[in-house]
Amino acid sequence: MTEPGEVRASDAEREAVVEQLRVASVDGRLTLAELTDRTEAAYTATTQAELAMLTQDLPAAGVAAPVAGPERKKRRWFVGVMGDSKRRGTWRIDQELGAVAVMGDVLLDLREAEVRTDRVEILAVSVMGDVKIIVPDGVYVDLDGMAVMGDKKVNVMQAPPGMNVPVVRVQAYAVMGDVKVIGDSQVQPLQRGFAAWREHWRRLHGDDWREIGRQVREEGRELRRQLREDHRRLGL
């Protein structure tokens, strides 16, 4: 008999949870790192209970995210000319981004950003400078463009193909400079509260709960055996 909460999850149920997480992100309820963590957890979940944990603090599914109007906001620019421009921590991304480094540095840390769009679009230009974009490991990075006496590269642990993970598209132009997209594993990691909570939940609801369940079943069998013996002695 299947224990409560141990019903196996289907592919369709996993995809439904991933879509619910995407809608929650567009609504501003999840940061990019949280969305990535939970999306990965949804694809690796084996039971319905694990899937339910991923959305228990989110609104119920079935309410579609607001559709953006025909007008798009102007690109938001971050410029470093013989200096530095940095954006990290909690911030909102609801438009395309631009990063220009001319003999300077631009740093965009997207991990704690609230991404209100379906994907992050970035135009990165480096002229004898450095543009660095930090993303959570597990996102899909699409890097295009050109480098002349410079470098453009991705160093991110990306999710396997076929997963509906967050997308970061970067159009890069580097002239004697660098445009780099790097993942969590290459920099000082964030305090990933949800990942730690998930691991604790797995320990609690995995081996510990199975051991408790095994003990309860054994005690129940022993109790039933003693009752049968008592009945036989009493001639019942």
Side-chain angles (χ1 to χ4, degrees), residues 137 155-157 182-188:
D137 285 313
N155 192 356
V156 178
M157 296 174 58
I182 60 178
D184 240 357
S185 57
Q186 305 301 315
V187 295
Q188 183 176 356

Side-chain angles (χ1 to χ4, degrees), residues 108-123:
L108 299 180
D109 190 340
L110 309 184
R111 294 173 294 172
E112 293 182 283
E114 294 179 359
V115 179
R116 301 296 186 93
T117 55
D118 286 336
R119 63 180 58 87
V120 181
E121 302 273 0
I122 304 175
L123 173 62

Side-chain angles (χ1 to χ4, degrees), residues 103-236:
M103 293 185 289
D105 297 326
V106 175
L107 170 66
L108 299 180
D109 190 340
L110 309 184
R111 294 173 294 172
E112 293 182 283
E114 294 179 359
V115 179
R116 301 296 186 93
T117 55
D118 286 336
R119 63 180 58 87
V120 181
E121 302 273 0
I122 304 175
L123 173 62
V125 179
S126 173
V127 180
M128 293 185 289
D130 186 13
V131 175
K132 182 184 293 184
I133 302 165
I134 304 175
V135 300
D137 285 313
V139 303
Y140 173 72
V141 178
D142 181 11
L143 177 61
D144 198 2
M146 59 178 291
V148 179
M149 299 178 64
D151 194 14
K152 63 180 182 67
K153 63 181 180 180
V154 177
N155 192 356
V156 178
M157 296 174 58
Q158 301 195 51
M163 292 187 176
N164 185 18
V165 298
V167 176
V168 178
R169 299 191 188 278
V170 181
Q171 189 76 20
Y173 299 95
V175 179
M176 292 185 288
D178 297 329
V179 175
K180 300 177 183 178
V181 185
I182 60 178
D184 240 357
S185 57
Q186 305 301 315
V187 295
Q188 183 176 356
L190 294 174
Q191 294 294 326
R192 308 290 275 272
F194 181 80
W197 173 41
R198 180 189 177 214
E199 181 61 28
H200 172 72
W201 188 92
R202 278 184 165 176
R203 289 197 301 268
L204 179 63
H205 294 71
D207 296 338
D208 292 349
W209 274 31
R210 291 190 182 95
E211 178 62 22
I212 292 172
R214 185 186 64 80
Q215 293 176 3
V216 169
R217 288 191 294 273
E218 288 182 355
E219 291 174 358
R221 284 194 293 267
E222 179 64 21
L223 179 59
R224 289 193 295 272
R225 186 186 63 80
Q226 293 178 1
L227 286 174
R228 285 195 297 270
E229 290 181 356
D230 291 342
H231 286 178
R232 282 195 296 268
R233 284 198 301 268
L234 295 174
L236 299 176

Side-chain angles (χ1 to χ4, degrees), residues 3-182:
E3 296 292 327
E6 293 186 358
V7 177
R8 305 283 292 192
S10 69
D11 289 341
E13 289 169 334
R14 294 186 186 95
E15 291 293 346
V17 168
V18 169
E19 177 61 16
Q20 186 177 352
L21 294 172
R22 187 198 66 79
V23 171
S25 173
V26 174
D27 287 344
R29 303 180 193 276
L30 298 174
T31 66
L32 184 60
E34 290 171 332
L35 173 61
T36 305
D37 282 344
R38 297 196 191 198
T39 298
E40 178 187 0
Y43 279 115
T44 57
T46 57
T47 66
Q48 292 179 351
E50 289 181 89
L51 287 178
M53 181 193 68
L54 302 176
T55 58
Q56 65 182 9
D57 59 345
L58 301 175
V63 179
V67 178
E71 294 185 3
R72 303 181 65 178
K73 292 185 177 180
K74 294 181 179 179
R75 190 184 301 271
R76 181 178 181 183
W77 290 96
F78 299 87
V79 180
V81 179
M82 292 187 290
D84 297 339
S85 176
K86 299 180 181 180
R87 192 64 178 91
R88 52 163 55 103
T90 302
W91 55 300
R92 177 184 295 188
I93 299 176
D94 55 4
Q95 61 203 103
E96 295 181 358
L97 304 178
V100 177
V102 180
M103 293 185 289
D105 297 326
V106 175
L107 170 66
L108 299 180
D109 190 340
L110 309 184
R111 294 173 294 172
E112 293 182 283
E114 294 179 359
V115 179
R116 301 296 186 93
T117 55
D118 286 336
R119 63 180 58 87
V120 181
E121 302 273 0
I122 304 175
L123 173 62
V125 179
S126 173
V127 180
M128 293 185 289
D130 186 13
V131 175
K132 182 184 293 184
I133 302 165
I134 304 175
V135 300
D137 285 313
V139 303
Y140 173 72
V141 178
D142 181 11
L143 177 61
D144 198 2
M146 59 178 291
V148 179
M149 299 178 64
D151 194 14
K152 63 180 182 67
K153 63 181 180 180
V154 177
N155 192 356
V156 178
M157 296 174 58
Q158 301 195 51
M163 292 187 176
N164 185 18
V165 298
V167 176
V168 178
R169 299 191 188 278
V170 181
Q171 189 76 20
Y173 299 95
V175 179
M176 292 185 288
D178 297 329
V179 175
K180 300 177 183 178
V181 185
I182 60 178

